[in-house]
Amino acid sequence: MEFKKLHTLGNDFIVFGNPYINKIHDSDLIALLCDRHYGIGCDKVVFITSSSTADYFMHVFDPSGREIEFSGNALSCSAKYVADCGFYKKRSFSVETPCGVRSVKMDNSDITVEIGTPTVIEKSALNISGVSLPYYYVTVGSPHCVVFLTYGLDDREFNYFGSTIAKHPIFPNGVNVEFACLTSNNRIIMRVWDRGIGETSSSSAGSCACAAAAQTESLCGNIVQVYQQGGIITVETNNCGNMFTT
């Protein structure tokens, strides 16, 4: 089986498949590939298949073998894989995902990904062990719980609150958790707990979820830099509310 191991700011993926096949591998194989001790090791697996409405279909699986709805970082890696393998002689792609078709454009070392239009579903608060945490529930294809803080969390607090919120019963399908701090109207510092893997170094969809939540309160503009463990993701919102990351 031929594959490539790629990453977006440290969030790593095993990518394989091609735009001319329909077969999807079973969940046991996916789990083995993700295992960093007995397999190749990665955060998630990306499998490329054919699409009737786009250049290719991108399937993304977490270590449990479950196919997830969407990953912006995986979109970047899928485009890099398709271009490097020579399946198409172009640098812009339309990509079908379980939540719709998205565009990806490669320009030298930069990859611009269409994330879509986030929806802020709810603004509320969770009580976790006596601590009230205001949050925004945002869908970006995948579900996100954005918690804005004015203080930092140490590793123990981050691990506890992240894992507890991710599997909280009010989110029946689980939720990705972003702890964020607004430092200016165009800068956010973010730390991510992925519902399927725990802490991850970056998230394009999570960056957009934070920007969308901040925009509902008029706390940020249309271009925002989101600082995270793996680096910086720039989020740009067009006049239609559609978000793109670079």
Side-chain angles (χ1 to χ4, degrees):
M1 181 181 69
E2 295 184 3
F3 69 91
K4 289 184 181 291
K5 187 171 180 181
L6 303 168
H7 75 93
T8 301
L9 298 180
N11 182 205
D12 60 343
F13 303 87
I14 292 169
V15 189
F16 63 107
N18 71 66
Y20 315 116
I21 60 173
N22 294 311
K23 180 183 178 182
I24 297 178
H25 288 271
D26 62 61
S27 59
D28 289 339
L29 174 62
I30 300 297
L32 178 60
L33 290 172
C34 289
D35 193 291
R36 296 187 185 275
H37 298 288
Y38 297 100
I40 300 167
C42 62
D43 288 335
K44 294 183 175 76
V45 168
V46 176
F47 190 60
I48 305 299
T49 63
S50 62
S51 168
S52 61
T53 59
D55 290 323
Y56 59 90
F57 198 118
M58 179 189 76
H59 303 270
V60 184
F61 300 89
D62 69 16
S64 72
R66 175 183 62 178
E67 184 170 6
I68 66 171
E69 305 91 342
F70 183 76
S71 168
N73 285 352
L75 267 175
S76 298
C77 292
S78 74
K80 172 72 171 168
Y81 170 84
V82 167
D84 286 355
C85 290
F87 294 126
Y88 296 105
K89 295 186 181 298
K90 58 181 182 178
R91 305 289 286 176
S92 296
F93 306 100
S94 60
V95 185
E96 186 178 357
T97 75
C99 62
V101 175
R102 300 290 188 267
S103 65
V104 186
K105 182 179 179 180
M106 304 178 68
D107 183 11
N108 296 322
S109 61
D110 291 331
I111 302 178
T112 300
V113 172
E114 178 190 8
I115 300 298
T117 304
T119 302
V120 180
I121 294 177
E122 180 182 38
K123 177 184 178 182
S124 188
L126 282 171
N127 188 293
I128 307 293
S129 299
V131 178
S132 180
L133 296 173
Y135 72 89
Y136 297 82
Y137 181 45
V138 185
T139 62
V140 194
S142 52
H144 294 263
C145 176
V146 177
V147 180
F148 286 114
L149 301 171
T150 56
Y151 55 89
L153 296 175
D154 62 29
D155 289 345
R156 181 184 61 82
E157 292 170 324
F158 172 79
N159 291 336
Y160 175 71
F161 287 120
S163 61
T164 301
I165 295 172
K167 60 177 184 286
H168 196 283
I170 67 169
F171 306 114
N173 295 318
V175 71
N176 303 298
V177 188
E178 284 79 33
F179 296 100
C181 177
L182 282 153
T183 61
S184 71
N185 65 354
N186 63 357
R187 184 183 182 194
I188 297 173
I189 298 174
M190 179 184 79
R191 195 170 179 184
V192 185
W193 184 276
D194 184 292
R195 60 180 167 167
I197 60 175
E199 183 169 18
T200 187
S201 61
S202 74
S203 171
S204 293
S207 298
C208 291
C210 288
Q215 287 172 356
T216 64
E217 306 292 348
S218 299
L219 297 174
C220 73
N222 288 339
I223 300 177
V224 184
Q225 288 190 316
V226 184
Y227 290 68
Q228 43 215 296
Q229 184 183 34
I232 303 169
I233 289 176
T234 299
V235 177
E236 184 168 356
T237 309
N238 67 15
N239 293 333
C240 297
N242 205 13
M243 288 190 173
F244 297 82
T245 60
T246 304

